[in-house]
Amino acid sequence: MKKILLFSTGLLLFCSSFSLAVIPPIEFIPYTWEEDRERTPLTEEQKELPEFIIYAGKHLQFEMGTQSAHVYSTSHFKIYLNSEEAIQSNNRIEISMINLIDIVDIRARTFTSDGRIIELDQESVREISDDEVPFARLFAIEGIDKGSEIEFFYTVKSGLSLFGSHALQQLAPCKKSEFSITVPFYLQFDLKPYNADLRVDTLEVADSLSHRFRVVAHDLPELRIEPFSNPLANVVSVHYRFVETILFPGLFKFDWDEAGRHFH
């Protein structure tokens, strides 16, 4: 891990000093959702499920300044809840504060079964406590009843990280699961999906000096956890790693063998 920290620090200092002279800083662009939307139409089969994840998204964004660099991570969910167990499992947002600098934004809204919309932003969301969940901040999602759809996202800020993994598959059936990482154009990343044949897209970001790498999975079954089994071996997931900077190809290299030693 010490080697990775030194590697990250070296890359940061090098790219920052180069960008100070040639490339403007890459600033964080706040995440947004669709304002004033209607609740998601579901099929009759989907409505009968106790819990159905309509959307699960994880979006990373690099901010590269002249003296520092950070990663902003946004988790975004839309979930249909049709049982008391599902409501109890999803009536609060849990944000682990381990290795985080700050919670940048948090928003939540509930589409109730009788057609009401209850919306909360960072100023109005209610923080709660639970001694059984240490090193985390908890926020209540209000107004949930059987047949509700909830939506929430939160963005957190942390230090620079050049590799990681994300589980696309969830503990309930999922209509759409998405992972993306947005980085400065001079940084090249490689994404590798596991346990599913998924395409990796490279997208340009409008009015930005960044590009985005993205993986999307559709109609994923729930992840079943069997006794005495390792569910992570079969979960549909994506691993990502920094490859090199095109400013000076070959100067900083990070291969899958090196990244693999730190995933577990």
Side-chain angles (χ1 to χ4, degrees):
M1 183 58 69
K2 184 177 180 181
K3 178 181 178 181
I4 299 301
L5 291 175
L6 291 174
F7 180 88
S8 301
T9 303
L11 174 65
L12 163 63
L13 293 174
F14 188 85
C15 290
S16 296
S17 62
F18 188 88
S19 64
L20 181 63
V22 180
I23 303 171
I26 307 296
E27 297 182 350
F28 166 65
I29 300 174
Y31 187 86
T32 59
W33 63 11
E34 183 183 355
E35 302 287 350
D36 303 319
R37 74 170 181 88
E38 302 292 330
R39 67 178 295 159
T40 307
L42 300 177
T43 67
E44 292 302 318
E45 181 180 358
Q46 291 166 347
K47 291 178 182 178
E48 293 299 317
L49 295 171
E51 180 179 350
F52 182 63
I53 299 175
I54 300 163
Y55 177 78
K58 183 79 164 184
H59 306 285
L60 307 183
Q61 184 183 157
F62 276 39
E63 177 187 62
M64 301 290 286
T66 56
Q67 299 296 326
S68 63
H70 300 99
V71 177
Y72 291 81
S73 174
T74 298
S75 298
H76 185 183
F77 288 89
K78 302 176 186 177
I79 310 173
Y80 170 71
L81 304 173
N82 195 37
S83 72
E84 289 301 322
E85 182 179 356
I87 292 172
Q88 290 301 314
S89 298
N90 294 278
N91 61 3
R92 66 187 188 181
I93 303 168
E94 299 184 8
I95 304 177
S96 171
M97 298 302 296
I98 297 175
N99 296 327
L100 292 189
I101 296 173
D102 194 15
I103 298 175
V104 176
D105 195 10
I106 179 170
R107 296 184 66 178
R109 57 187 171 191
T110 301
F111 298 83
T112 67
S113 61
D114 60 4
R116 294 178 295 124
I117 302 176
I118 303 171
E119 186 161 341
L120 303 169
D121 59 19
Q122 191 166 11
E123 299 300 320
S124 58
V125 67
R126 179 170 59 91
E127 187 165 2
I128 57 179
S129 60
D130 187 337
D131 293 337
E132 295 183 0
V133 187
F135 312 114
R137 293 181 65 183
L138 312 177
F139 300 89
I141 302 178
E142 309 286 354
I144 306 175
D145 63 348
K146 187 176 178 179
S148 291
E149 176 188 334
I150 63 170
E151 179 179 14
F152 64 88
F153 78 80
Y154 59 87
T155 300
V156 297
K157 179 181 179 181
S158 62
L160 186 69
S161 178
L162 299 177
F163 65 93
S165 62
H166 173 68
L168 294 164
Q169 199 169 5
Q170 308 292 321
L171 295 176
C174 183
K175 183 178 181 180
K176 180 181 179 180
S177 187
E178 180 178 15
F179 173 82
S180 71
I181 179 169
T182 302
V183 300
F185 72 91
Y186 50 81
L187 299 183
Q188 293 295 318
F189 272 73
D190 187 17
L191 275 62
K192 182 183 291 188
Y194 283 85
N195 297 315
D197 184 15
L198 301 174
R199 186 181 70 211
V200 178
D201 297 315
T202 303
L203 309 171
E204 298 300 321
V205 180
D207 302 320
S208 172
L209 293 174
S210 297
H211 55 181
R212 178 175 297 134
F213 302 94
R214 182 184 67 179
V215 173
V216 180
H218 295 277
D219 301 320
L220 291 173
E222 66 180 294
L223 176 62
R224 296 186 179 275
I225 301 178
E226 303 292 342
F228 311 109
S229 67
N230 177 14
L232 297 180
N234 299 311
V235 65
V236 178
S237 61
V238 57
H239 290 193
Y240 63 92
R241 68 174 176 97
F242 165 77
V243 179
E244 64 179 352
T245 169
I246 63 172
L247 299 178
F248 291 90
L251 181 60
F252 293 97
K253 282 278 190 178
F254 196 62
D255 59 26
W256 281 112
D257 289 338
E258 179 67 34
R261 286 193 284 271
H262 304 275
F263 277 131
H264 303 292

